[in-house]
Amino acid sequence: MLDLSRVTSGYGAIRVLHDVSLEIAAGEFVGVIGPNGAGKSTLLRTIAGNCAVHAGDITFEGQDLKSLADYQRASLGIAHVPEGRRIWPSLSVHDTLLMGSWRLPDRQTESAALLAMVLDLFPRLKERLHQRSAVLSGGEQQMLAIGRALMSKPKLILVDEPSTGLAPLMMEIVIGALRRLRQDAKIAILLVEQRIQNVLDLCNRFYILNRGQLIEPKPGEHLTRSEIEAAYFDR
Ligand code: ATP
């Protein structure tokens, strides 16, 4: 479904990713792990359409993405849950979720079912539905950011560090929701995480990103957390 071939990208003239190739099939959960500053967020921004691509190709369901702006990529079914969540504090939880579906051509008929699906996945948001997003805890805001992405009926979600800064209970709720999405197998996820264990638990495959370069462990190579750290992160 998503295919990156030898992509070099970054910010203006600054190159952060070098010669990166990656594939994701429909419904597949793929993880990216790597140390601070490796370029993980840049990889997601490159796919979402927020970075300059200097070389290589990016296609989604056979369509060239490089010529498309971020909102056009979103319309094709690519949703981005950025680090920091980007929640509008003055909007209610309800209105924030509905904003997620505004690009859908048949949103009048579809948004009620999508909202029900999101609230079933995150019952906490149901309790908070008519409160302003500003009063949510960090974990609830993360649920809201993922819920808003799901409201756009995506085929692929790019999720950036969903567990960062969350208390253990909140992290378990968020990761548990992603696990449920994996069981449904309707949506593919590219998950960026510093917590290696979350990626090993959730994903069918994973890549390691270090200094802007991506490595995929060989098929059948089941690396443990400490082997990954020792082999790839200069630790
Ligand atoms: P972290 O885990 O700390 O979030 P990361 O692996 O997601 O790190 P990126 O945020 O993609 O890494 O950053 C990779 C490199 O790109 C860093 O050297 C960073 O300083 C640089 N960078 C990130 N955003 C910008 C920007 N808007 N303009 C210029 N350089 C940037």
Side-chain angles (χ1 to χ4, degrees), residues 81-87 141-142 145 160-161:
V81 183
E83 204 178 357
R85 300 149 201 158
R86 301 216 195 117
I87 297 293
Q141 288 193 0
Q142 187 63 67
D160 201 345
E161 309 237 359

Side-chain angles (χ1 to χ4, degrees), residues 11 14 16 34-43 45 83 161 194:
Y11 304 92
I14 301 168
V16 174
N36 284 335
K40 303 182 296 299
S41 299
T42 303
L43 173 63
R45 290 186 202 125
E83 204 178 357
E161 309 237 359
Q194 291 231 12

Side-chain angles (χ1 to χ4, degrees), residues 10 27 74 115 117 137 150 157 175 192 218:
L115 185 63
M117 179 271 290
S137 72
L150 291 172
I157 310 190
I175 298 299
V192 157
K218 296 184 193 76

Side-chain angles (χ1 to χ4, degrees), residues 24 40 67 134 169 179 185 214 223:
I24 303 179
K40 303 182 296 299
S67 56
L169 177 65
R179 206 174 281 126
L214 206 56
L223 300 173

Side-chain angles (χ1 to χ4, degrees), residues 109-120:
T109 50
E110 288 201 290
S111 51
L114 287 164
L115 185 63
M117 179 271 290
V118 169
L119 297 181
D120 179 54

